[in-house]
Amino acid sequence: MSVNMHRIRTSWHKNRREWLTFLAFVAPNFIIFAVFTYWPIIYSFYLSFVRWNFLTPNKQVVGIRNYARLMQDDNFWEVLGNTLVYAVSVVLIAQGLAFLLALLLNRRVKGQPFFRTVSFTPHITTTAAAALVFVLLLDPKLGPLSHVYNFFSIQGPRFLASTTLAIWAIIIVGIWKEIGFASVFFLAGLQGINQEYYEAARVDGARPFAILRHITVPLMAPVIFFLMVSGFIQATKVFDLVAIMTEGGPVYPSSSTYAYHLYQLAFRNFRAGYASAFAIIFFIGVMTVTLFQLRYSKRWVDYEE
Amino acid sequence: MKNPRSLITLLAALVVMLLITAGCTAPAAPAGGEAAPSEASAPAEGGEVIELTYWHTNPGPAGDAQDELVDMFNESQDAIQVSSEFQGGYGDLATNLLTAFAAGGGPEVSQLGTFEIREFWKSGVLEDLTPYLNGDNGIDTSDWPGTMLDAGKFDDGIYWLPFNVAVPVLYYNKEAFEEAGIDGPPETWDEFFEDARKLTVKDDSGNVTRYGVAYIPGWFSWAMQSAIWSEGGELTNKDYTNITLNDPVVVEVVSKFKELLDEGAAIYPDQASGGHRGMFMNGQAAMILDSPGPFGDIMENSQGFTPMVANYPAGKAGKVYNPGGGGIVMLTVTPDDKKDAAWTFMKYMLSPESLAYYAERSGYTAFTGAAQEAAGDLLQDERYATIHAALPYLRGDFSVNMSPAVRTAFDEAWQKVFVEGADVQQALDEAQAKAEENIKDETFAP
């Protein structure tokens, strides 16, 4: 025991300088995180058990009432469903397309950097601007699609005026923005694959599809996995597209998402406690998904190093 | 501390921490709001200048005109200096006020829409203006229209004063009316629904080429509320002890609007395609129920017809109109020694000359009798005179707007009816139940 303590003490002495240096480097970031991230999370957890409107000095403790109400709130389930539909669709469709795009871009074609830049542009386009452009594009009477509809003399769908299609209009823009981002990552991954594998496979007479399936995809698994996790979490936070394209309508909350509804609850309806319960459920959900994905990914992702 | 370097490292860490915490607190001080008089830019001659901050909304001319009024106020005297700050839309303004108040700061005077008045009053954000209104430096409100002064009245205090007042305006296509053989705009709501049918034009294959009326996407409840009140219906009483979203008159009025949609005589457009205003200006809809907001745009940019303005129709209860726009408030964070100055500024904003100037620049109404006199030239224009003729019928009651429970339940119901074709009675019954349940969560629950 005492020997042990002694050892710890000497190591502490020895490492004190290192410790202090470590602290000096870590402190700035840690303090910023603590003040702007960890503390709000903890405080939000507390708020989820009270009734409060941000303004009154006293917060009325209501126990788990906020959570109980939430379970019976149609809007909660609807925005949750919308958000999952959005996130899953954007991740699967955008990344599927991005992978194909990356395969194309990976060929040694003339002007590859140009095409790469073009495909990345949607990601750095201001969401607000992109959303507005798509609102016009999708308009059945004013947009360019109207020519297509007129050509076939059909009535074009009014995406934003339909309770079922409005969320898909948002998904389309989400996909468009995500493809560029994912394809650049995929391309970087593809270019990191050792060409010797391909040469060996070709010498063995493997067909292109077999090469894709047995070499490219397995070696790309870490990239695919990373993009799916980060893409999914990113997608569940969608807010700006909803705010600009539909405001959750045409019949609220038919195209509203979790983050947008949360904002409405907190800052338009002033229900800080109830909105905090929403936020905590979201936090737990995202954490669960992340941990689940990380844990089970080990089974099928082979990190090379 | 044998090793001086470890001390230096520790000190460095402390300095970094201090810098960061200092950086955190510095911006938290309310921007400009609390500048002490002693710090004020040295007044040129004698006396201390009182500095105030005014927050406002309204992009475009309606916002610029407020900045101009503030400049004019500053030039008109030496004692008070107001800085005018634009805060975005009505919702953004309210959110910013909320966060500023929560942090113990904010402006002394602010514009405020109609949705947050009750919540802010209940939370002690708004100053009671009654003593100022009735004081020596008060305002004569005897010529204020309708019951506008009631809008901000709670528990015998007045906490919100109307400033940018919008009235309902019916825009109609003169040639379309002539074509349909209709003599002038509808006088009653029943006439309105009949006219909409007569004004509808369909081509040989049955496609509508011109709708009788295009509804406002998103906030049509604002227009419908005038119809409901005019027909003698109520959505809620002021303290929410009697919510009546499924009142028979409400059901009847919403049903009539739905019937027009079902018959193809009306359309509920989406915001994207320019909404109802775009359709009216392109001649695709013969009428819209709106406010003075788009007046300039419609008069200048309508294609191929003569746009005209009229008041909303009357119902069984006569003309009862739902006002729109916003007002101004004084915030309770205002230090006592600045309150008189804040009121002096508010009084300036509400002076007949200011309101007349604002009406001319913004399209909102010169809503007081004295302001209309001051705006004499403007009202020579028959169209402005028509718009202003609606003022006496305004009902200063924003109870529906002010309760998220009632507002969202009603919005969801009529949107379901218009967009999904839901049954009116059933949708409104559900809304009623929802509103009664959710009202319990409001800070001002009965």
Side-chain angles (χ1 to χ4, degrees):
Chain A
M1 185 71 176
S2 66
V3 176
N4 220 348
M5 282 303 286
H6 180 71
R7 194 178 296 156
I8 288 169
R9 208 170 292 146
T10 39
S11 79
W12 163 240
H13 274 287
K14 214 185 277 172
N15 292 334
R16 192 170 60 188
R17 234 185 75 198
E18 250 175 78
W19 249 102
L20 289 171
T21 319
F22 170 76
L23 273 182
F25 278 106
V26 161
N29 250 330
F30 178 77
I31 292 168
I32 289 173
F33 270 107
V35 172
F36 293 106
T37 306
Y38 303 133
W39 171 242
I41 291 172
I42 294 163
Y43 195 64
S44 185
F45 189 70
Y46 158 68
L47 283 184
S48 71
F49 296 104
V50 304
R51 194 169 95 168
W52 189 46
N53 71 347
F54 292 106
L55 297 167
T56 49
N58 52 322
K59 305 176 184 71
Q60 185 193 347
V61 177
V62 293
I64 60 156
R65 182 182 144 88
N66 286 330
Y67 290 94
R69 282 190 68 91
L70 192 141
M71 291 297 135
Q72 292 164 352
D73 185 343
D74 297 343
N75 287 351
F76 167 74
W77 295 107
E78 193 161 348
V79 297
L80 182 66
N82 285 344
T83 308
L84 289 177
V85 167
Y86 175 87
V88 170
S89 310
V90 168
V91 167
L92 292 184
I93 300 172
Q95 297 190 2
L97 293 172
F99 193 75
L100 294 177
L101 186 67
L103 288 175
L104 287 174
L105 287 174
N106 195 30
R107 289 159 176 261
R108 292 225 168 74
V109 285
K110 231 182 168 186
Q112 194 218 39
F114 172 75
F115 291 113
R116 206 167 47 200
T117 310
V118 166
S119 69
F120 191 66
T121 312
H123 185 68
I124 52 167
T125 306
T126 317
T127 310
L132 282 175
V133 168
F134 268 88
V135 163
L136 284 174
L137 278 177
L138 293 170
D139 189 278
K141 287 232 162 65
L142 303 172
L145 280 176
S146 64
H147 299 295
V148 181
Y149 299 137
N150 286 343
F151 183 77
F152 293 105
S153 58
I154 48 167
Q155 189 88 29
R158 292 171 61 202
F159 273 92
L160 301 178
S162 152
T163 47
T164 43
L165 290 179
I167 186 76
W168 286 97
I170 294 170
I171 290 171
I172 288 170
V173 188
I175 290 170
W176 181 76
K177 275 191 74 74
E178 177 71 14
I179 287 178
F181 180 72
S183 65
V184 166
F185 270 79
F186 281 135
L187 189 60
L190 288 174
Q191 289 178 342
I193 295 176
N194 195 331
Q195 289 300 315
E196 284 171 18
Y197 294 124
Y198 291 113
E199 280 159 27
R202 271 192 289 273
V203 169
D204 288 345
R207 288 172 184 282
F209 184 72
I211 293 177
L212 178 70
R213 192 180 149 199
H214 295 291
I215 297 177
T216 310
V217 171
L219 287 175
M220 287 289 286
V223 178
I224 295 172
F225 173 70
F226 165 76
L227 282 177
M228 282 183 72
V229 176
S230 61
F232 182 83
I233 292 171
Q234 190 63 34
T236 52
K237 294 191 289 193
V238 59
F239 174 88
D240 36 13
L241 290 178
V242 181
I244 289 160
M245 294 181 73
T246 66
E247 292 181 343
V251 180
Y252 195 89
S254 56
S255 70
S256 184
T257 56
Y258 209 96
Y260 187 76
H261 189 64
L262 180 59
Y263 179 80
Q264 293 292 322
L265 279 179
F267 298 108
R268 290 291 184 263
N269 300 351
F270 310 112
R271 290 171 68 180
Y274 194 52
S276 292
F278 256 73
I280 293 300
I281 297 282
F282 188 65
F283 176 72
I284 294 169
V286 170
M287 282 297 272
T288 313
V289 171
T290 313
L291 292 175
F292 185 83
Q293 280 180 316
L294 280 172
R295 187 181 168 91
Y296 287 92
S297 68
K298 288 188 187 119
R299 291 192 182 167
W300 54 275
V301 175
D302 179 24
Y303 289 98
E304 226 173 329
E305 267 88 28
Chain B
M1 291 290 170
K2 280 175 219 154
N3 189 340
R5 285 177 69 183
S6 68
L7 182 68
I8 290 169
T9 321
L10 185 68
L11 279 175
L14 275 172
V15 168
V16 168
M17 281 168 150
L18 276 172
L19 279 174
I20 287 162
T21 40
C24 291
T25 49
E34 299 281 312
S38 56
E39 287 168 17
S41 51
E45 48 261 320
E48 286 179 344
V49 172
I50 299 178
E51 294 202 343
L52 299 176
T53 305
Y54 173 65
W55 280 6
H56 70 86
T57 171
N58 298 121
D64 297 342
Q66 294 187 53
D67 292 336
E68 290 154 22
L69 283 172
V70 169
D71 287 343
M72 284 150 71
F73 173 74
N74 288 336
E75 280 162 26
S76 72
Q77 42 75 49
D78 292 327
I80 307 163
Q81 198 67 23
V82 182
S83 71
S84 182
E85 293 170 6
F86 176 68
Q87 300 293 322
Y90 283 105
D92 302 317
L93 170 67
T95 308
N96 293 354
L97 283 172
L98 173 104
T99 39
F101 186 84
E108 287 81 16
V109 182
S110 178
Q111 198 185 2
L112 183 66
T114 58
F115 285 52
E116 300 84 10
I117 307 172
R118 186 178 265 270
E119 189 87 46
F120 281 10
W121 158 72
K122 185 79 185 177
S123 307
V125 178
L126 307 180
E127 187 74 33
D128 183 5
L129 301 168
T130 328
Y132 301 99
L133 271 171
N134 301 333
D136 296 339
N137 190 25
I139 295 178
D140 176 16
T141 57
S142 58
D143 67 344
W144 285 24
T147 51
M148 282 312 289
L149 201 55
D150 290 348
K153 199 179 262 179
F154 304 98
D155 287 356
D156 298 330
I158 294 172
Y159 297 82
W160 178 95
L161 295 175
F163 169 67
N164 53 320
V165 175
V167 294
V169 177
L170 172 88
Y171 295 87
Y172 67 98
N173 178 326
K174 189 178 168 218
E175 284 76 15
F177 269 67
E178 285 167 2
E179 225 174 86
I182 306 169
D183 196 20
E187 295 287 328
T188 67
W189 283 104
D190 287 337
E191 268 177 51
F192 168 85
F193 292 111
E194 271 323 298
D195 289 353
R197 293 185 172 92
K198 288 183 200 159
L199 290 160
T200 303
V201 181
K202 293 182 182 174
D203 66 13
D204 297 337
S205 48
N207 291 326
V208 181
T209 52
R210 186 181 68 211
Y211 293 93
V213 53
Y215 299 158
I216 308 167
W219 49 281
F220 193 55
S221 54
W222 177 74
M224 276 197 292
Q225 211 170 324
S226 289
I228 289 165
W229 282 347
S230 292
E231 294 292 1
E234 289 292 340
L235 291 159
T236 176
N237 63 348
K238 279 194 163 188
D239 56 8
Y240 307 106
T241 49
N242 189 23
I243 299 170
T244 49
L245 296 183
N246 57 356
D247 171 286
V249 179
V250 180
V251 175
E252 188 192 322
V253 171
V254 176
S255 300
K256 283 181 177 170
F257 280 107
K258 178 182 188 264
E259 280 160 24
L260 287 188
L261 283 172
D262 293 344
E263 293 167 27
I267 182 165
Y268 182 67
D270 38 295
Q271 267 128 332
S273 47
H276 61 301
R277 292 171 185 170
M279 294 195 77
F280 179 74
M281 290 193 280
N282 293 332
Q284 294 171 301
M287 294 189 282
I288 51 170
L289 296 162
D290 207 311
S291 74
F295 178 83
D297 195 18
I298 285 177
M299 292 302 149
E300 276 168 38
N301 299 325
S302 290
Q303 300 289 328
F305 68 95
T306 319
M308 304 282 282
V309 292
N311 296 137
Y312 276 20
K316 293 183 194 74
K319 291 176 177 173
V320 189
Y321 294 153
N322 187 17
I328 51 175
V329 294
M330 191 194 300
L331 289 105
T332 48
V333 291
T334 310
D336 284 341
D337 57 353
K338 286 188 175 187
K339 280 180 178 165
D340 284 333
W343 172 253
T344 304
F345 169 62
M346 289 177 79
K347 193 184 164 186
Y348 180 87
M349 294 295 273
L350 291 166
S351 70
E353 294 72 28
S354 298
L355 289 174
Y357 178 85
Y358 190 66
E360 189 159 1
R361 288 279 283 116
S362 69
Y364 284 96
T365 55
F367 71 91
T368 69
Q372 282 158 46
E373 269 172 41
D377 288 347
L378 182 71
L379 294 172
Q380 292 298 310
D381 185 329
E382 204 179 313
R383 298 169 305 179
Y384 283 112
T386 303
I387 289 173
H388 280 75
L391 284 164
Y393 306 103
L394 289 182
R395 171 169 155 179
D397 176 0
F398 301 114
S399 309
V400 174
N401 288 359
M402 290 188 297
S403 157
V406 175
R407 175 178 87 218
T408 54
F410 184 55
D411 280 346
E412 197 184 317
W414 67 261
Q415 287 173 3
K416 261 186 190 163
V417 168
F418 287 2
V419 178
E420 295 174 335
D423 180 70
V424 179
Q425 183 74 53
Q426 195 189 333
L428 288 169
D429 284 344
E430 280 169 20
Q432 172 72 16
K434 219 174 204 178
E436 280 182 344
E437 180 60 26
N438 288 339
I439 194 79
K440 293 176 195 159
D441 283 331
E442 315 278 24
T443 36
F444 43 80

